[in-house]
Amino acid sequence: MAKKGKSIFLVYADIDPKYEEEFNAWYDTEHLADLLSLPGFLDAARYVAEKGGPKSLAAYELSSAEALKSAAFQKFRANPSPWSRRISPTVIGKNTTRIVGEQIFPAEIEQPERGMAAALQIGRMSVPEEMDPAWNDWYNTAYIPGYRQVPGVLYARRYRVVEGSTRYATVYEFAHPQVSESAEWNHQRQTSSPQSDKMREVMTHASGSPGVYRRIYPQ
């Protein structure tokens, strides 16, 4: 069964430590399972920030962004459980951020059977309209392909954000959270393309981006 689709749904929040135990129990024993029972939700996992933020991240793999417009999802949102009304990120979270992205790189769904990675690095960024074509060409052809060859990088995808405060999101799937601290990663960053310095300068990152996240559920 496919666990990867054409879209991703990311929910970030900072949670007061006094709520963490109940928040984690709600997510792990009720909320994720409820969402995965809905059409178009293919897989999900929860992560905690090792670098960047917000601290808490729930990542959902969607068949397409239309999964969030389905009658089943709308009914679910309109009828939250008593527990959800008390402890969800929209109730107790700070810096709560939702990102819905449609995959733009690679063009096709590859290795659709792979599960949720042990760690993620996610960049949330925007670029000026006039730089958009050149920046995307650089990212897709000169920048991200080299990172996909770095040891510990399991996969890498880019998304155009259709709901959220940034224009793009890049999601690297890591074997462990330290991948982007390796010599091989730094070598790729320094030698990826003669255009890289210029193209990095035109990017505006969201607060806490890029963030490195370690999976905490399922373990």
Side-chain angles (χ1 to χ4, degrees), residues 4-184:
K4 295 289 185 284
K6 290 291 287 184
S7 292
I8 199 163
F9 178 33
L10 306 172
V11 181
Y12 297 86
D14 287 316
I15 304 298
D16 190 304
K18 69 183 179 182
Y19 296 121
E20 277 191 358
E21 183 175 358
E22 184 179 7
F23 178 77
N24 290 333
W26 166 76
Y27 243 129
D28 298 348
T29 65
E30 178 180 288
H31 193 62
L32 284 191
D34 285 348
L35 284 174
L36 286 173
S37 72
L38 300 177
F41 281 76
L42 305 178
D43 206 359
R46 294 185 56 235
Y47 295 83
V48 65
E50 298 274 307
K51 173 185 175 183
K55 183 178 179 180
S56 170
L57 168 66
Y60 304 89
E61 298 282 349
L62 306 179
S63 57
S64 76
E66 295 300 308
L68 300 178
K69 299 178 182 178
S70 71
F73 182 73
Q74 295 304 318
K75 181 179 179 181
F76 174 80
R77 289 194 69 186
N79 297 278
S81 71
W83 207 2
S84 296
R85 287 195 294 268
R86 188 174 72 250
I87 205 72
S88 74
T90 56
V91 177
I92 65 164
K94 299 178 180 178
N95 305 314
T96 303
T97 302
R98 286 165 51 102
I99 296 286
V100 181
E102 294 181 337
Q103 184 173 310
I104 57 173
F105 180 88
E108 303 299 328
I109 302 172
E110 301 172 346
Q111 305 173 28
E113 73 290 344
R114 72 186 189 281
M116 304 299 289
L120 302 174
Q121 177 167 299
I122 303 177
R124 296 173 284 136
M125 68 282 284
S126 297
V127 293
E129 183 74 35
E130 65 272 16
M131 290 298 299
D132 197 81
W135 184 80
N136 276 292
D137 180 68
W138 161 78
Y139 218 128
N140 292 347
T141 63
Y143 195 62
I144 202 170
Y147 281 114
R148 297 177 91 189
Q149 306 305 312
V150 171
V153 176
L154 306 177
Y155 208 73
R157 292 170 287 171
R158 297 187 59 231
Y159 296 88
R160 187 179 300 275
V161 173
V162 296
E163 180 184 335
S165 59
T166 58
R167 195 167 191 169
Y168 295 100
T170 302
V171 179
Y172 293 96
E173 299 172 39
F174 287 172
H176 55 82
Q178 289 76 42
V179 171
S180 56
E181 300 172 9
S182 68
E184 293 90 346

Side-chain angles (χ1 to χ4, degrees), residues 173-217:
E173 299 172 39
F174 287 172
H176 55 82
Q178 289 76 42
V179 171
S180 56
E181 300 172 9
S182 68
E184 293 90 346
W185 180 277
N186 288 328
H187 177 76
Q188 168 61 22
R189 178 175 175 80
Q190 294 165 8
T191 63
S192 56
S193 165
Q195 294 181 296
S196 292
D197 287 343
K198 175 184 176 181
M199 291 300 175
R200 289 193 193 102
E201 288 177 358
V202 304
M203 284 190 286
T204 302
H205 274 271
S207 177
S209 167
V212 177
Y213 288 82
R214 171 176 51 86
R215 192 181 71 204
I216 57 173
Y217 184 85

